[in-house]
Amino acid sequence: GNAGAGAGAAGGPGSFQGRVDEASLARLGEQIKGVMRRAMRDLIQEEVAKGEYDHVLRLWREVHDRLMRLSGSPGEREKTKAAIDCDYAAELVGANALDNGILGDMIQLASQRLAELGAVAYEKQVLDWGLKLSDAMRASGSAAEGEGGDEASAGPAPASGDDDSASPKHPAEILSIFFDTADTMLTRIEAGVAAHLLCQAMS
């Protein structure tokens, strides 16, 4: 095994061996992402079917915290706090009052903040994506039933090439697509901010 690895490494970055390995790694990475997406969807589905939202609330808190870090000025931080109110969501869960209409509103408000804090070039695309997902959530059956919403296609998410995202119907599926794509968008925004800060520091 070591001789083969040594031969591949000796071939350098332009070698055929190196390109095959990169393609294989990219495919493997996509397969792992697909497995993780399905696992997240299944976990959310299991939870919401039982009327439990612990994992969903943890994911909302993560989106909130990451957006807060990207909201530089006090005014921007207030907008983010107003858009994603995790404490209110937790209260609704405690009172058994969190429904798909409220979840749809949360998705729409969070996607608006993603659009506002992200690249201007993608703002309309992100807003459209958030609106389609939130409409699909509002049109879907109750989380426990997992029915309805055939005409409410959420469309492909801008940052996710996953075929599953074409037309989610179950609330858990809509939530998992939202959290997965929001994570990708947040990672891109954070990388852009880091690159900008690095350029500033070097100039």
Side-chain angles (χ1 to χ4, degrees):
N2 284 348
S15 73
F16 179 71
Q17 179 73 36
R19 284 196 302 274
V20 170
D21 286 348
E22 282 178 31
S24 297
L25 281 174
R27 271 197 309 278
L28 181 62
E30 284 307 308
Q31 288 172 341
I32 290 169
K33 280 186 202 165
V35 168
M36 289 174 67
R37 275 189 204 113
R38 285 188 291 279
M40 179 168 64
R41 182 182 58 214
D42 292 347
L43 178 62
I44 291 172
Q45 201 158 342
E46 266 179 48
E47 243 193 19
V48 296
K50 293 186 278 187
E52 296 171 6
Y53 288 88
D54 294 346
H55 189 63
V56 171
L57 289 174
R58 266 196 303 280
L59 292 169
W60 275 115
R61 176 70 62 191
E62 182 184 329
V63 170
H64 169 273
D65 292 350
R66 290 173 75 184
L67 281 169
M68 286 298 284
R69 284 194 291 274
L70 292 166
S71 304
S73 70
E76 290 298 313
R77 292 176 68 79
E78 282 306 313
K79 285 184 194 174
T80 299
K81 278 185 199 170
I84 307 173
D85 191 341
C86 296
D87 295 333
Y88 179 60
E91 284 176 29
L92 290 172
V93 168
N96 203 19
L98 186 66
D99 63 23
N100 292 343
I102 293 168
L103 285 168
D105 292 345
M106 291 172 71
I107 287 171
Q108 189 171 354
L109 289 168
S111 62
Q112 285 170 356
R113 287 309 287 152
L114 280 165
E116 290 162 3
L117 294 169
V120 175
Y122 298 108
E123 188 169 358
K124 184 181 180 334
Q125 188 181 9
V126 174
L127 287 171
D128 290 347
W129 164 78
L131 187 60
K132 283 180 184 172
L133 267 189
S134 60
D135 285 349
M137 177 58 82
R138 291 181 192 108
S140 67
S142 78
E145 294 164 17
E147 61 179 49
D150 280 352
E151 65 287 343
S153 169
S160 172
D162 190 6
D163 292 337
D164 290 343
S165 67
S167 59
K169 310 218 177 10
H170 191 284
E173 190 176 353
I174 296 167
L175 284 169
S176 65
I177 290 167
F178 169 75
F179 289 125
D180 180 58
T181 308
D183 175 59
T184 303
M185 284 190 226
L186 282 161
T187 300
R188 287 180 183 170
I189 297 167
E190 290 159 349
V193 169
H196 176 71
L197 292 174
L198 184 61
C199 288
Q200 277 186 327
M202 294 173 72
S203 61

Short mmCIF file of all heavy atoms in Angstrom, two decimals, residues 125-197:
data_model
loop_
_atom_site.label_atom_id
_atom_site.label_comp_id
_atom_site.label_asym_id
_atom_site.label_seq_id
_atom_site.Cartn_x
_atom_site.Cartn_y
_atom_site.Cartn_z
N GLN A 125 -31.96 35.97 -4.85
CA GLN A 125 -32.04 34.50 -4.90
C GLN A 125 -32.32 33.93 -3.51
O GLN A 125 -33.16 33.04 -3.35
CB GLN A 125 -30.73 33.95 -5.47
CG GLN A 125 -30.76 32.46 -5.73
CD GLN A 125 -29.43 31.95 -6.28
OE1 GLN A 125 -28.43 32.66 -6.30
NE2 GLN A 125 -29.43 30.70 -6.70
N VAL A 126 -31.63 34.45 -2.50
CA VAL A 126 -31.82 33.97 -1.12
C VAL A 126 -33.22 34.33 -0.63
O VAL A 126 -33.90 33.52 0.01
CB VAL A 126 -30.72 34.52 -0.18
CG1 VAL A 126 -31.01 34.15 1.27
CG2 VAL A 126 -29.36 33.99 -0.59
N LEU A 127 -33.67 35.56 -0.93
CA LEU A 127 -35.02 35.97 -0.52
C LEU A 127 -36.08 35.09 -1.16
O LEU A 127 -37.03 34.66 -0.49
CB LEU A 127 -35.26 37.45 -0.89
CG LEU A 127 -34.54 38.48 -0.04
CD1 LEU A 127 -34.69 39.87 -0.67
CD2 LEU A 127 -35.03 38.49 1.40
N ASP A 128 -35.93 34.81 -2.46
CA ASP A 128 -36.88 33.94 -3.17
C ASP A 128 -36.89 32.54 -2.57
O ASP A 128 -37.95 31.93 -2.37
CB ASP A 128 -36.55 33.86 -4.66
CG ASP A 128 -36.82 35.17 -5.39
OD1 ASP A 128 -37.49 36.06 -4.81
OD2 ASP A 128 -36.34 35.32 -6.54
N TRP A 129 -35.69 32.01 -2.29
CA TRP A 129 -35.57 30.68 -1.68
C TRP A 129 -36.28 30.64 -0.33
O TRP A 129 -37.07 29.72 -0.05
CB TRP A 129 -34.08 30.34 -1.53
CG TRP A 129 -33.80 29.20 -0.59
CD1 TRP A 129 -33.93 27.88 -0.86
CD2 TRP A 129 -33.33 29.29 0.76
NE1 TRP A 129 -33.58 27.14 0.25
CE2 TRP A 129 -33.21 27.98 1.25
CE3 TRP A 129 -32.99 30.36 1.59
CZ2 TRP A 129 -32.76 27.71 2.54
CZ3 TRP A 129 -32.56 30.09 2.88
CH2 TRP A 129 -32.44 28.77 3.34
N GLY A 130 -36.04 31.65 0.51
CA GLY A 130 -36.67 31.69 1.83
C GLY A 130 -38.18 31.78 1.75
O GLY A 130 -38.91 31.13 2.51
N LEU A 131 -38.67 32.57 0.78
CA LEU A 131 -40.11 32.72 0.61
C LEU A 131 -40.74 31.41 0.16
O LEU A 131 -41.79 31.00 0.67
CB LEU A 131 -40.40 33.84 -0.39
CG LEU A 131 -41.86 34.24 -0.55
CD1 LEU A 131 -42.46 34.72 0.77
CD2 LEU A 131 -42.00 35.32 -1.63
N LYS A 132 -40.11 30.73 -0.79
CA LYS A 132 -40.64 29.45 -1.28
C LYS A 132 -40.68 28.41 -0.15
O LYS A 132 -41.67 27.69 0.00
CB LYS A 132 -39.80 28.92 -2.45
CG LYS A 132 -40.09 29.62 -3.74
CD LYS A 132 -39.25 29.06 -4.86
CE LYS A 132 -39.46 29.84 -6.14
NZ LYS A 132 -38.53 29.44 -7.19
N LEU A 133 -39.58 28.33 0.63
CA LEU A 133 -39.55 27.35 1.73
C LEU A 133 -40.59 27.70 2.79
O LEU A 133 -41.28 26.80 3.31
CB LEU A 133 -38.17 27.32 2.38
CG LEU A 133 -37.15 26.31 1.88
CD1 LEU A 133 -35.93 26.30 2.79
CD2 LEU A 133 -37.72 24.92 1.75
N SER A 134 -40.71 28.99 3.14
CA SER A 134 -41.67 29.37 4.18
C SER A 134 -43.10 29.13 3.71
O SER A 134 -43.94 28.68 4.48
CB SER A 134 -41.46 30.83 4.62
OG SER A 134 -41.63 31.71 3.55
N ASP A 135 -43.37 29.41 2.42
CA ASP A 135 -44.71 29.12 1.88
C ASP A 135 -45.01 27.62 1.91
O ASP A 135 -46.12 27.20 2.22
CB ASP A 135 -44.84 29.65 0.44
CG ASP A 135 -45.00 31.17 0.40
OD1 ASP A 135 -45.23 31.78 1.45
OD2 ASP A 135 -44.88 31.73 -0.72
N ALA A 136 -43.98 26.81 1.56
CA ALA A 136 -44.15 25.36 1.59
C ALA A 136 -44.43 24.89 3.01
O ALA A 136 -45.27 24.01 3.24
CB ALA A 136 -42.91 24.67 1.03
N MET A 137 -43.75 25.50 4.00
CA MET A 137 -43.97 25.12 5.40
C MET A 137 -45.39 25.47 5.82
O MET A 137 -46.09 24.66 6.43
CB MET A 137 -42.95 25.84 6.30
CG MET A 137 -43.14 25.56 7.79
SD MET A 137 -43.05 23.81 8.24
CE MET A 137 -41.28 23.61 8.34
N ARG A 138 -45.84 26.67 5.47
CA ARG A 138 -47.21 27.09 5.85
C ARG A 138 -48.27 26.21 5.19
O ARG A 138 -49.32 25.98 5.76
CB ARG A 138 -47.42 28.55 5.46
CG ARG A 138 -46.61 29.53 6.28
CD ARG A 138 -46.88 30.98 5.86
NE ARG A 138 -45.91 31.87 6.45
CZ ARG A 138 -44.94 32.49 5.77
NH1 ARG A 138 -44.84 32.32 4.46
NH2 ARG A 138 -44.09 33.27 6.39
N ALA A 139 -47.98 25.73 3.96
CA ALA A 139 -48.96 24.93 3.21
C ALA A 139 -48.94 23.46 3.59
O ALA A 139 -49.87 22.72 3.26
CB ALA A 139 -48.69 25.07 1.71
N SER A 140 -47.90 23.03 4.30
CA SER A 140 -47.77 21.60 4.63
C SER A 140 -48.75 21.21 5.73
O SER A 140 -49.24 22.07 6.46
CB SER A 140 -46.34 21.28 5.06
OG SER A 140 -46.04 21.92 6.28
N GLY A 141 -48.99 19.91 5.83
CA GLY A 141 -49.85 19.41 6.90
C GLY A 141 -49.15 19.60 8.24
O GLY A 141 -48.05 20.12 8.31
N SER A 142 -49.78 19.18 9.31
CA SER A 142 -49.14 19.31 10.62
C SER A 142 -47.90 18.43 10.64
O SER A 142 -47.78 17.46 9.90
CB SER A 142 -50.10 18.89 11.72
OG SER A 142 -50.17 17.48 11.79
N ALA A 143 -46.98 18.78 11.50
CA ALA A 143 -45.71 18.05 11.58
C ALA A 143 -45.94 16.57 11.85
O ALA A 143 -45.28 15.71 11.28
CB ALA A 143 -44.84 18.65 12.69
N ALA A 144 -46.91 16.27 12.70
CA ALA A 144 -47.17 14.87 13.04
C ALA A 144 -47.80 14.11 11.87
O ALA A 144 -47.52 12.94 11.66
CB ALA A 144 -48.07 14.80 14.26
N GLU A 145 -48.67 14.80 11.10
CA GLU A 145 -49.35 14.13 9.99
C GLU A 145 -48.42 13.93 8.80
O GLU A 145 -48.44 12.91 8.15
CB GLU A 145 -50.56 14.95 9.52
CG GLU A 145 -51.67 15.05 10.54
CD GLU A 145 -52.64 16.18 10.19
OE1 GLU A 145 -52.64 16.66 9.04
OE2 GLU A 145 -53.38 16.59 11.08
N GLY A 146 -47.63 14.99 8.49
CA GLY A 146 -46.72 14.92 7.35
C GLY A 146 -47.44 14.76 6.03
O GLY A 146 -47.04 14.00 5.17
N GLU A 147 -48.53 15.48 5.84
CA GLU A 147 -49.31 15.32 4.61
C GLU A 147 -49.44 16.65 3.88
O GLU A 147 -49.05 17.69 4.39
CB GLU A 147 -50.71 14.80 4.95
CG GLU A 147 -51.47 15.76 5.85
CD GLU A 147 -52.86 15.29 6.19
OE1 GLU A 147 -53.01 14.14 6.61
OE2 GLU A 147 -53.78 16.09 6.05
N GLY A 148 -50.00 16.59 2.67
CA GLY A 148 -50.41 17.78 1.94
C GLY A 148 -49.28 18.59 1.36
O GLY A 148 -48.12 18.23 1.41
N GLY A 149 -49.66 19.74 0.79
CA GLY A 149 -48.70 20.68 0.26
C GLY A 149 -48.14 20.30 -1.09
O GLY A 149 -47.07 20.75 -1.46
N ASP A 150 -48.84 19.49 -1.89
CA ASP A 150 -48.34 19.06 -3.19
C ASP A 150 -48.01 20.22 -4.11
O ASP A 150 -47.00 20.21 -4.80
CB ASP A 150 -49.35 18.16 -3.91
CG ASP A 150 -49.31 16.74 -3.38
OD1 ASP A 150 -48.40 16.46 -2.58
OD2 ASP A 150 -50.16 15.93 -3.76
N GLU A 151 -48.88 21.25 -4.11
CA GLU A 151 -48.66 22.35 -5.04
C GLU A 151 -47.61 23.33 -4.51
O GLU A 151 -47.20 24.22 -5.23
CB GLU A 151 -49.99 23.07 -5.33
CG GLU A 151 -50.63 23.78 -4.15
CD GLU A 151 -51.26 22.84 -3.12
OE1 GLU A 151 -51.50 21.66 -3.42
OE2 GLU A 151 -51.49 23.30 -1.99
N ALA A 152 -47.19 23.18 -3.29
CA ALA A 152 -46.22 24.12 -2.71
C ALA A 152 -44.81 23.59 -2.87
O ALA A 152 -44.24 23.01 -1.96
CB ALA A 152 -46.53 24.33 -1.23
N SER A 153 -44.26 23.77 -4.05
CA SER A 153 -42.89 23.33 -4.31
C SER A 153 -41.92 24.36 -3.77
O SER A 153 -42.08 25.55 -4.02
CB SER A 153 -42.69 23.15 -5.81
OG SER A 153 -41.33 22.97 -6.08
N ALA A 154 -40.93 23.91 -3.04
CA ALA A 154 -39.97 24.85 -2.46
C ALA A 154 -38.87 25.21 -3.44
O ALA A 154 -38.13 26.12 -3.21
CB ALA A 154 -39.36 24.26 -1.19
N GLY A 155 -38.77 24.47 -4.52
CA GLY A 155 -37.73 24.77 -5.51
C GLY A 155 -36.36 24.42 -4.99
O GLY A 155 -36.17 24.19 -3.79
N PRO A 156 -35.37 24.35 -5.87
CA PRO A 156 -34.03 24.01 -5.42
C PRO A 156 -33.42 25.15 -4.61
O PRO A 156 -33.58 26.31 -4.96
CB PRO A 156 -33.25 23.78 -6.72
CG PRO A 156 -34.04 24.46 -7.77
CD PRO A 156 -35.46 24.55 -7.30
N ALA A 157 -32.78 24.81 -3.54
CA ALA A 157 -32.12 25.81 -2.71
C ALA A 157 -30.86 26.30 -3.43
O ALA A 157 -30.22 25.54 -4.12
CB ALA A 157 -31.77 25.19 -1.36
N PRO A 158 -30.50 27.57 -3.24
CA PRO A 158 -29.39 28.13 -4.00
C PRO A 158 -28.03 27.53 -3.68
O PRO A 158 -27.17 27.49 -4.54
CB PRO A 158 -29.41 29.61 -3.61
CG PRO A 158 -30.15 29.68 -2.34
CD PRO A 158 -31.13 28.55 -2.36
N ALA A 159 -27.86 27.04 -2.47
CA ALA A 159 -26.52 26.57 -2.08
C ALA A 159 -26.46 25.06 -1.94
O ALA A 159 -25.50 24.51 -1.46
CB ALA A 159 -26.10 27.23 -0.78
N SER A 160 -27.51 24.36 -2.35
CA SER A 160 -27.55 22.92 -2.15
C SER A 160 -27.90 22.23 -3.45
O SER A 160 -28.92 22.51 -4.06
CB SER A 160 -28.60 22.58 -1.09
OG SER A 160 -28.78 21.19 -1.02
N GLY A 161 -27.05 21.31 -3.87
CA GLY A 161 -27.32 20.58 -5.09
C GLY A 161 -28.07 19.29 -4.84
O GLY A 161 -28.11 18.42 -5.68
N ASP A 162 -28.66 19.15 -3.71
CA ASP A 162 -29.32 17.91 -3.32
C ASP A 162 -30.65 17.75 -4.05
O ASP A 162 -31.52 18.62 -3.98
CB ASP A 162 -29.56 17.93 -1.80
CG ASP A 162 -30.03 16.59 -1.28
OD1 ASP A 162 -30.07 15.61 -2.05
OD2 ASP A 162 -30.37 16.53 -0.09
N ASP A 163 -30.83 16.63 -4.76
CA ASP A 163 -32.05 16.39 -5.51
C ASP A 163 -33.28 16.31 -4.61
O ASP A 163 -34.39 16.58 -5.04
CB ASP A 163 -31.93 15.09 -6.32
CG ASP A 163 -30.92 15.23 -7.44
OD1 ASP A 163 -30.64 16.37 -7.87
OD2 ASP A 163 -30.41 14.20 -7.88
N ASP A 164 -33.08 15.93 -3.33
CA ASP A 164 -34.19 15.82 -2.38
C ASP A 164 -34.92 17.14 -2.21
O ASP A 164 -36.07 17.17 -1.81
CB ASP A 164 -33.69 15.40 -0.98
CG ASP A 164 -33.20 13.98 -0.96
OD1 ASP A 164 -33.53 13.23 -1.90
OD2 ASP A 164 -32.48 13.62 -0.02
N SER A 165 -34.24 18.27 -2.49
CA SER A 165 -34.80 19.57 -2.17
C SER A 165 -35.78 20.07 -3.22
O SER A 165 -36.26 21.18 -3.13
CB SER A 165 -33.67 20.58 -1.97
OG SER A 165 -33.00 20.80 -3.19
N ALA A 166 -36.08 19.29 -4.26
CA ALA A 166 -36.91 19.76 -5.35
C ALA A 166 -38.31 20.17 -4.87
O ALA A 166 -38.79 21.23 -5.21
CB ALA A 166 -37.02 18.71 -6.43
N SER A 167 -38.99 19.34 -4.08
CA SER A 167 -40.31 19.73 -3.60
C SER A 167 -40.62 19.06 -2.27
O SER A 167 -41.34 18.07 -2.21
CB SER A 167 -41.37 19.36 -4.64
OG SER A 167 -41.34 17.98 -4.89
N PRO A 168 -40.09 19.60 -1.18
CA PRO A 168 -40.34 19.00 0.13
C PRO A 168 -41.81 19.18 0.52
O PRO A 168 -42.41 20.19 0.21
CB PRO A 168 -39.43 19.80 1.06
CG PRO A 168 -39.24 21.10 0.37
CD PRO A 168 -39.28 20.81 -1.09
N LYS A 169 -42.36 18.17 1.17
CA LYS A 169 -43.76 18.26 1.58
C LYS A 169 -43.91 18.16 3.09
O LYS A 169 -44.76 18.78 3.66
CB LYS A 169 -44.55 17.15 0.90
CG LYS A 169 -44.25 17.13 -0.59
CD LYS A 169 -45.42 16.82 -1.43
CE LYS A 169 -45.16 16.86 -2.92
NZ LYS A 169 -43.82 16.97 -3.39
N HIS A 170 -43.10 17.34 3.70
CA HIS A 170 -43.18 17.13 5.14
C HIS A 170 -42.45 18.27 5.86
O HIS A 170 -41.36 18.66 5.45
CB HIS A 170 -42.55 15.78 5.50
CG HIS A 170 -42.84 15.37 6.90
ND1 HIS A 170 -42.19 15.92 7.98
CD2 HIS A 170 -43.71 14.47 7.41
CE1 HIS A 170 -42.66 15.38 9.09
NE2 HIS A 170 -43.58 14.49 8.77
N PRO A 171 -43.03 18.82 6.92
CA PRO A 171 -42.38 19.91 7.65
C PRO A 171 -40.94 19.59 8.06
O PRO A 171 -40.06 20.46 8.00
CB PRO A 171 -43.27 20.11 8.87
CG PRO A 171 -44.61 19.64 8.42
CD PRO A 171 -44.35 18.52 7.47
N ALA A 172 -40.68 18.35 8.47
CA ALA A 172 -39.32 17.98 8.88
C ALA A 172 -38.35 18.09 7.71
O ALA A 172 -37.21 18.50 7.87
CB ALA A 172 -39.30 16.56 9.46
N GLU A 173 -38.81 17.72 6.53
CA GLU A 173 -37.97 17.81 5.34
C GLU A 173 -37.68 19.27 5.01
O GLU A 173 -36.56 19.65 4.68
CB GLU A 173 -38.67 17.12 4.17
CG GLU A 173 -37.78 16.95 2.96
CD GLU A 173 -38.45 16.17 1.84
OE1 GLU A 173 -39.55 15.64 2.03
OE2 GLU A 173 -37.84 16.12 0.76
N ILE A 174 -38.71 20.12 5.11
CA ILE A 174 -38.54 21.55 4.84
C ILE A 174 -37.54 22.15 5.84
O ILE A 174 -36.64 22.89 5.45
CB ILE A 174 -39.90 22.28 4.91
CG1 ILE A 174 -40.83 21.76 3.81
CG2 ILE A 174 -39.71 23.79 4.78
CD1 ILE A 174 -42.28 22.17 3.97
N LEU A 175 -37.69 21.80 7.11
CA LEU A 175 -36.77 22.30 8.14
C LEU A 175 -35.34 21.84 7.88
O LEU A 175 -34.39 22.61 7.99
CB LEU A 175 -37.21 21.86 9.54
CG LEU A 175 -38.40 22.62 10.13
CD1 LEU A 175 -38.90 21.91 11.38
CD2 LEU A 175 -38.02 24.06 10.46
N SER A 176 -35.18 20.55 7.52
CA SER A 176 -33.82 20.05 7.30
C SER A 176 -33.17 20.72 6.10
O SER A 176 -31.98 21.04 6.13
CB SER A 176 -33.80 18.52 7.16
OG SER A 176 -34.50 18.10 6.02
N ILE A 177 -33.95 20.99 5.04
CA ILE A 177 -33.41 21.72 3.89
C ILE A 177 -33.02 23.14 4.31
O ILE A 177 -31.96 23.64 3.95
CB ILE A 177 -34.43 21.74 2.72
CG1 ILE A 177 -34.55 20.34 2.13
CG2 ILE A 177 -34.01 22.75 1.65
CD1 ILE A 177 -35.73 20.17 1.20
N PHE A 178 -33.89 23.78 5.10
CA PHE A 178 -33.58 25.13 5.55
C PHE A 178 -32.28 25.15 6.36
O PHE A 178 -31.38 25.96 6.08
CB PHE A 178 -34.72 25.72 6.39
CG PHE A 178 -34.31 26.99 7.08
CD1 PHE A 178 -34.20 28.17 6.36
CD2 PHE A 178 -33.96 26.99 8.42
CE1 PHE A 178 -33.77 29.34 6.97
CE2 PHE A 178 -33.52 28.15 9.04
CZ PHE A 178 -33.43 29.33 8.32
N PHE A 179 -32.17 24.28 7.36
CA PHE A 179 -30.98 24.30 8.23
C PHE A 179 -29.71 23.94 7.46
O PHE A 179 -28.66 24.54 7.66
CB PHE A 179 -31.17 23.38 9.44
CG PHE A 179 -32.14 23.91 10.44
CD1 PHE A 179 -33.23 23.14 10.84
CD2 PHE A 179 -32.00 25.17 11.00
CE1 PHE A 179 -34.16 23.64 11.76
CE2 PHE A 179 -32.91 25.67 11.92
CZ PHE A 179 -33.99 24.89 12.30
N ASP A 180 -29.81 22.96 6.57
CA ASP A 180 -28.66 22.54 5.78
C ASP A 180 -28.18 23.67 4.87
O ASP A 180 -26.99 23.99 4.82
CB ASP A 180 -29.01 21.29 4.97
CG ASP A 180 -27.84 20.81 4.14
OD1 ASP A 180 -26.78 20.51 4.72
OD2 ASP A 180 -27.97 20.75 2.90
N THR A 181 -29.11 24.30 4.16
CA THR A 181 -28.74 25.36 3.23
C THR A 181 -28.30 26.61 3.99
O THR A 181 -27.35 27.29 3.57
CB THR A 181 -29.91 25.67 2.28
OG1 THR A 181 -30.36 24.45 1.70
CG2 THR A 181 -29.49 26.63 1.18
N ALA A 182 -28.96 26.92 5.11
CA ALA A 182 -28.54 28.06 5.93
C ALA A 182 -27.11 27.87 6.41
O ALA A 182 -26.31 28.81 6.40
CB ALA A 182 -29.49 28.25 7.11
N ASP A 183 -26.76 26.64 6.80
CA ASP A 183 -25.40 26.35 7.24
C ASP A 183 -24.40 26.63 6.12
O ASP A 183 -23.36 27.26 6.33
CB ASP A 183 -25.29 24.88 7.68
CG ASP A 183 -23.87 24.50 8.05
OD1 ASP A 183 -23.30 25.12 8.96
OD2 ASP A 183 -23.33 23.58 7.40
N THR A 184 -24.72 26.18 4.90
CA THR A 184 -23.84 26.42 3.75
C THR A 184 -23.70 27.92 3.49
O THR A 184 -22.60 28.43 3.28
CB THR A 184 -24.40 25.72 2.49
OG1 THR A 184 -24.53 24.33 2.78
CG2 THR A 184 -23.49 25.90 1.30
N MET A 185 -24.82 28.65 3.52
CA MET A 185 -24.78 30.10 3.27
C MET A 185 -23.98 30.82 4.35
O MET A 185 -23.18 31.71 4.04
CB MET A 185 -26.20 30.65 3.22
CG MET A 185 -26.94 30.35 1.96
SD MET A 185 -28.47 31.32 1.95
CE MET A 185 -29.62 30.08 1.47
N LEU A 186 -24.23 30.46 5.60
CA LEU A 186 -23.50 31.10 6.70
C LEU A 186 -22.01 30.85 6.59
O LEU A 186 -21.20 31.76 6.82
CB LEU A 186 -24.04 30.59 8.05
CG LEU A 186 -25.36 31.21 8.48
CD1 LEU A 186 -26.03 30.35 9.55
CD2 LEU A 186 -25.15 32.63 8.99
N THR A 187 -21.63 29.63 6.21
CA THR A 187 -20.20 29.30 6.04
C THR A 187 -19.59 30.18 4.95
O THR A 187 -18.48 30.70 5.11
CB THR A 187 -20.04 27.81 5.71
OG1 THR A 187 -20.59 27.05 6.79
CG2 THR A 187 -18.58 27.43 5.52
N ARG A 188 -20.34 30.38 3.86
CA ARG A 188 -19.84 31.24 2.77
C ARG A 188 -19.71 32.69 3.22
O ARG A 188 -18.74 33.36 2.89
CB ARG A 188 -20.76 31.15 1.55
CG ARG A 188 -20.64 29.83 0.82
CD ARG A 188 -21.56 29.76 -0.36
NE ARG A 188 -21.46 28.45 -1.00
CZ ARG A 188 -22.26 28.03 -1.94
NH1 ARG A 188 -23.24 28.80 -2.37
NH2 ARG A 188 -22.10 26.84 -2.47
N ILE A 189 -20.71 33.20 3.94
CA ILE A 189 -20.67 34.58 4.42
C ILE A 189 -19.49 34.75 5.38
O ILE A 189 -18.73 35.71 5.29
CB ILE A 189 -22.00 34.99 5.11
CG1 ILE A 189 -23.16 34.93 4.11
CG2 ILE A 189 -21.89 36.37 5.71
CD1 ILE A 189 -24.55 35.02 4.75
N GLU A 190 -19.34 33.79 6.32
CA GLU A 190 -18.23 33.86 7.29
C GLU A 190 -16.88 33.84 6.59
O GLU A 190 -15.96 34.57 6.95
CB GLU A 190 -18.34 32.69 8.28
CG GLU A 190 -19.52 32.83 9.24
CD GLU A 190 -19.97 31.52 9.88
OE1 GLU A 190 -19.52 30.43 9.44
OE2 GLU A 190 -20.78 31.57 10.81
N ALA A 191 -16.76 33.00 5.54
CA ALA A 191 -15.51 32.93 4.78
C ALA A 191 -15.24 34.26 4.07
O ALA A 191 -14.09 34.73 4.02
CB ALA A 191 -15.56 31.79 3.77
N GLY A 192 -16.29 34.88 3.54
CA GLY A 192 -16.14 36.17 2.88
C GLY A 192 -15.69 37.25 3.85
O GLY A 192 -14.82 38.07 3.53
N VAL A 193 -16.27 37.25 5.03
CA VAL A 193 -15.88 38.22 6.06
C VAL A 193 -14.43 38.00 6.47
O VAL A 193 -13.64 38.93 6.58
CB VAL A 193 -16.82 38.13 7.29
CG1 VAL A 193 -16.28 38.93 8.47
CG2 VAL A 193 -18.22 38.60 6.92
N ALA A 194 -14.06 36.73 6.67
CA ALA A 194 -12.67 36.41 7.06
C ALA A 194 -11.70 36.86 5.99
O ALA A 194 -10.64 37.43 6.29
CB ALA A 194 -12.53 34.91 7.32
N ALA A 195 -12.04 36.62 4.72
CA ALA A 195 -11.15 37.03 3.60
C ALA A 195 -11.02 38.54 3.56
O ALA A 195 -9.93 39.08 3.37
CB ALA A 195 -11.71 36.49 2.29
N HIS A 196 -12.13 39.25 3.78
CA HIS A 196 -12.11 40.72 3.79
C HIS A 196 -11.22 41.24 4.92
O HIS A 196 -10.40 42.15 4.71
CB HIS A 196 -13.53 41.25 3.94
CG HIS A 196 -13.62 42.74 4.06
ND1 HIS A 196 -13.38 43.57 2.99
CD2 HIS A 196 -13.90 43.54 5.11
CE1 HIS A 196 -13.51 44.84 3.39
NE2 HIS A 196 -13.85 44.83 4.67
N LEU A 197 -11.36 40.66 6.11
CA LEU A 197 -10.53 41.07 7.25
C LEU A 197 -9.05 40.79 7.00
O LEU A 197 -8.20 41.59 7.36
CB LEU A 197 -11.02 40.38 8.53
CG LEU A 197 -12.38 40.79 9.04
CD1 LEU A 197 -12.81 39.92 10.22
CD2 LEU A 197 -12.41 42.27 9.44
#
